[in-house]
């Protein structure tokens, strides 16, 4: 089961985290580009692990549990390293906080609802939120130095990342509220 391709892809996302963080901490344009590239590859595995599991009939409890955990670890680690290195420009620390708080809220609600045999399905808007979030983090990891490295010094890479992170935070608030109101229907007061 652990050697099924979908599970290997999920595990590879977790293994990539310290490498992405190390590249980001290195602080050179080349290392930033490498962090961005590895982050993109890890993000792509998120799409393919579930698709392959369904198409190959390799759905597993391991995959269901660790897919979501791998995503949260990857996003959380990247946002923390960007915050720690003061690489969240244009007040984008605030959307990073909103995103992390929502992830903790939704995870806690899913755990509670699982005990009650209720689910909190992923919505289409939540998938859009994830897309904006992953794209934003990729741009923020790349930073302006990667734009210069690629001969596109005119491209405001960090600004694009910050704007996308703010958009993601708005979507995060909307989907977080939707999940909260849905989850509270299952809570006995």
């Amino acid at each position: 089961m652990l050697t099924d391709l979908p599970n290997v892809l999920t595990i590879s996302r977790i293994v990539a985290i310290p490498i992405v963080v190390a590249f980001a901490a290195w602080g050179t344009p080349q290392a930033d580009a490498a962090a961005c590239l590895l982050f993109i590859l890890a993000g792509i595995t998120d799409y393919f692990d579930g698709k392959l599991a369904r198409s190959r009939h390799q759905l597993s409890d391991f995959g269901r549990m660790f897919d979501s955990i791998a995503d949260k670890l990857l996003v959380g680690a990247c946002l923390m390293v960007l915050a720690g290195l003061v690489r969240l420009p244009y007040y984008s620390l605030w959307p990073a906080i909103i995103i992390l708080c929502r992830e903790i809220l939704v995870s806690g609600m899913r755990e509670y609802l699982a005990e009650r045999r209720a689910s909190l399905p992923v919505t289409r808007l939540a998938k859009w939120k994830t897309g904006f979030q992953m794209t934003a983090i990729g741009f923020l990891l790349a930073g302006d130095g990667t734009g210069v490295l690629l001969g596109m010094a005119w491209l405001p890479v960090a600004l694009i990342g910050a704007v996308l992170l703010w958009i993601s935070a708005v979507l995060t608030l909307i989907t977080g509220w939707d999940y909260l109101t849905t989850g509270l229907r299952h809570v006995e007061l």
Side-chain angles (χ1 to χ4, degrees):
M1 176 171 71
L2 284 179
T3 57
D4 290 345
L5 183 57
N7 289 336
V8 170
L9 292 174
T10 299
I11 293 167
S12 73
R13 215 161 44 253
I14 296 170
V15 170
I17 294 168
I19 302 167
V20 170
V21 168
F23 278 138
W26 197 312
T28 66
Q30 294 84 358
D32 290 345
C36 174
L37 182 61
L38 186 54
F39 179 81
I40 290 168
L41 292 173
I44 290 170
T45 68
D46 182 32
Y47 171 77
F48 281 111
D49 61 2
K51 186 176 180 80
L52 288 172
R54 286 184 294 279
S55 70
R56 294 176 169 211
H57 305 289
Q58 293 178 328
L59 297 170
S60 68
D61 289 338
F62 178 88
R64 276 187 283 278
M65 181 173 69
F66 276 96
D67 178 53
S68 177
I69 291 170
D71 298 343
K72 288 169 186 21
L73 290 173
L74 180 64
V75 167
C78 288
L79 289 175
M80 285 190 283
V81 77
L82 288 165
L85 297 172
V86 193
R87 290 183 47 194
L88 290 173
Y90 308 101
Y91 303 101
S92 56
L93 177 61
W94 293 107
I97 292 169
I98 290 167
I99 289 165
L100 290 174
C101 287
R102 182 251 190 211
E103 294 303 329
I104 294 166
L105 172 74
V106 171
S107 293
M109 287 188 343
R110 282 202 168 110
E111 182 179 336
Y112 172 81
L113 292 173
E115 293 173 5
R116 301 231 179 285
R117 303 253 190 256
S119 67
L120 203 56
V122 176
T123 64
R124 176 172 280 138
L125 187 59
K127 290 182 181 189
W128 277 95
K129 183 257 336 163
T130 300
F132 273 99
Q133 177 179 286
M134 300 300 260
T135 305
I137 293 170
F139 271 90
L140 290 166
L141 286 168
D144 291 332
T146 300
V148 173
L149 181 70
L150 297 175
M152 296 185 289
W154 50 268
L155 186 65
V157 177
L159 174 62
I160 293 168
V163 168
L164 291 172
L165 199 64
W166 275 102
I167 292 169
S168 175
V170 170
L171 296 174
T172 294
L173 288 171
I174 294 167
T175 58
W177 179 256
D178 288 345
Y179 284 141
L180 180 62
T181 56
T182 299
L184 287 176
R185 290 186 202 129
H186 298 281
V187 174
E188 298 173 18
L189 299 176

